[in-house]
């Protein structure tokens, strides 16, 4: 069944102004406060101008930018987030922002920017990078391993769940948060835990694909005798290139020519543990 309202939703709400970030971590079954464990991002634009919520939710559009790593101006831990202590094998999660509490007068912010969900269609991933020393001083310039890839719908996906959506809808579409498991064989240590969502767009559309990524500080405890070797590893940025065909295409709701089962995941593969 293909509901007729879908086209209207796709064509009216797929505006460039629908953006978000992830500011809350689910740890030990509880959602944290905003930025409690996640590195705070900076608003876009010169520092001496008045900022609005909209300046915070603007995505990264240059895959070569350092901001691809943990969000805008977050490859340093200037906001001093706490370290979430978790065990290998635990469930964690990232939640979409609500608001950042700044004035909105004059901003281009749209109503759906205040509707906290993974508004855009597209794939989601999670990543780990071990800090060689203190997390507060780790920039994330080391190796990253992918531990999660969400493409199609899962039990966690938002309803509806019919044939049309299975074919055309992404697993995280309109989810308010996404939970996943830290691999049970993850070596113990302090890590940046990164969640990423990509809104694929063609290179000639606006500025191309939009990247949403934020990083939490986590200490992973693993006292088991099963310690793996995370691989393959990549650098971020460096993992994607502008125009790369796997992530630059028209993925939007209402695009009946795109079947998400045709999606080819960009490298690297998820760590097999
Ligand atoms: Cu957007």
């Amino acid at each position: 069944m293909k509901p007729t309202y879908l086209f209207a939703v796709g064509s009216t709400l797929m505006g460039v102004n629908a953006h978000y970030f992830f500011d809350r971590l689910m740890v030990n079954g509880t959602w944290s406060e905003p930025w409690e464990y996640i590195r705070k991002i900076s608003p876009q634009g010169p520092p001496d101008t008045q900022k609005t919520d909209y300046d915070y939710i603007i995505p990264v559009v240059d895959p070569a930018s350092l901001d691809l790593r943990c969000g805008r101006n977050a490859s340093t831990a200037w906001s001093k987030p706490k370290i979430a202590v978790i065990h290998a094998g635990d469930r964690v999660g990232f939640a979409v922002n609500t608001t950042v509490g700044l004035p909105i007068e004059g901003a281009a912010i749209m109503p759906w920017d205040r509707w906290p969900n993974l508004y855009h269609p597209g794939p989601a991933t999670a990543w780990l990078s071990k800090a060689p020393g203190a997390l507060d001083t780790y920039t994330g310039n080391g190796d990253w391993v992918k531990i999660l890839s969400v493409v199609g719908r899962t039990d966690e996906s938002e309803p509806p769940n019919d044939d049309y959506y299975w074919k055309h809808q992404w697993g995280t579409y309109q989810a308010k948060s996404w939970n996943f498991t830290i691999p049970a064989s993850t070596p113990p240590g302090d890590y940046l835990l990164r969640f990423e969502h990509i809104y694929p767009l063609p290179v000639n559309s606006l500025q191309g694909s939009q990247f949403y990524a934020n990083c939490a500080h986590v200490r992973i405890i693993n006292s088991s005798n099963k310690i793996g070797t995370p691989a393959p590893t990549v650098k971020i940025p460096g993992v994607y290139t502008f125009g790369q065909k796997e992530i630059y295409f028209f993925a939007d709701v209402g695009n009946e020519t795109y079947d998400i089962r045709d999606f080819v995941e960009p490298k690297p593969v998820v760590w097999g543990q």
Side-chain angles (χ1 to χ4, degrees):
M1 184 193 80
K2 191 197 74 160
T4 51
Y5 66 81
L6 263 181
F7 186 75
V9 168
S11 55
T12 58
L13 293 191
M14 69 177 204
V16 294
N17 293 331
H19 312 301
Y20 34 84
F21 50 76
F22 310 103
D23 61 352
R24 285 164 296 147
L25 182 72
M26 194 274 286
V27 54
N28 297 322
T30 310
W31 286 106
S32 73
E33 293 299 311
W35 311 119
E36 185 177 358
Y37 298 111
I38 294 175
R39 287 186 176 185
K40 201 166 185 184
I41 56 172
S42 294
Q44 67 163 355
D48 54 349
T49 57
Q50 194 191 7
K51 301 303 181 189
T52 70
D53 281 2
Y54 188 69
D55 293 310
Y56 280 87
I57 62 175
I58 290 280
V60 171
V61 292
D62 176 6
S65 164
L66 194 57
D67 293 340
L68 179 72
R69 192 179 288 161
C70 291
R72 197 177 301 105
N73 191 30
S75 54
T76 57
W78 54 269
S79 68
K80 299 271 187 284
K82 296 198 289 194
I83 300 174
V85 179
I86 57 179
H87 289 82
D90 277 358
R91 295 282 282 175
V92 294
F94 281 72
V96 179
N97 62 292
T98 48
T99 65
V100 293
L102 290 171
I104 62 167
E105 292 96 300
I109 200 160
M110 305 306 261
W112 48 89
D113 287 326
R114 296 193 171 280
W115 179 33
N117 67 61
L118 277 152
Y119 175 84
H120 289 306
T125 49
W127 309 69
L128 282 171
S129 181
K130 193 173 185 178
L135 267 173
D136 268 349
T137 57
Y138 182 46
T139 62
N141 62 349
D143 291 336
W144 290 85
V145 68
K146 191 191 284 185
I147 60 168
L148 170 81
S149 174
V150 187
V151 180
R153 296 176 65 80
T154 78
D155 291 346
E156 247 191 279
S157 300
E158 288 291 309
N161 190 355
D162 60 24
D163 281 352
Y164 178 86
Y165 281 86
W166 272 107
K167 232 177 135 177
H168 297 276
Q169 291 298 35
W170 300 79
T172 57
Y173 185 59
Q174 293 190 350
K176 294 174 182 64
S177 61
W178 202 261
N179 295 347
F180 55 95
T181 301
I182 300 292
S185 65
T186 303
D190 286 358
Y191 289 84
L192 287 175
L193 173 62
R194 174 179 183 270
F195 190 73
E196 174 195 89
H197 183 253
I198 299 177
Y199 173 27
L201 286 167
V203 287
N204 60 357
S205 156
L206 309 170
Q207 297 162 287
S209 299
Q210 301 178 357
F211 301 90
Y212 299 90
N214 294 94
C215 295
H217 285 194
V218 299
R219 175 165 300 149
I220 297 177
I221 296 169
N222 191 344
S223 45
S224 78
N225 55 13
K226 188 179 166 245
I227 305 294
T229 305
T233 60
V234 296
K235 302 291 187 191
I236 301 175
V239 61
Y240 307 131
T241 54
F242 185 81
Q244 180 178 343
K245 65 181 189 315
E246 292 95 341
I247 49 176
Y248 285 82
F249 59 90
F250 188 63
D252 229 319
V253 176
N255 178 9
E256 298 180 26
T257 63
Y258 188 75
D259 183 332
I260 69 163
R261 290 172 299 190
D262 295 335
F263 178 65
V264 176
E265 295 182 40
K267 287 179 182 169
V269 296
V270 173
W271 173 34
Q273 302 150 42

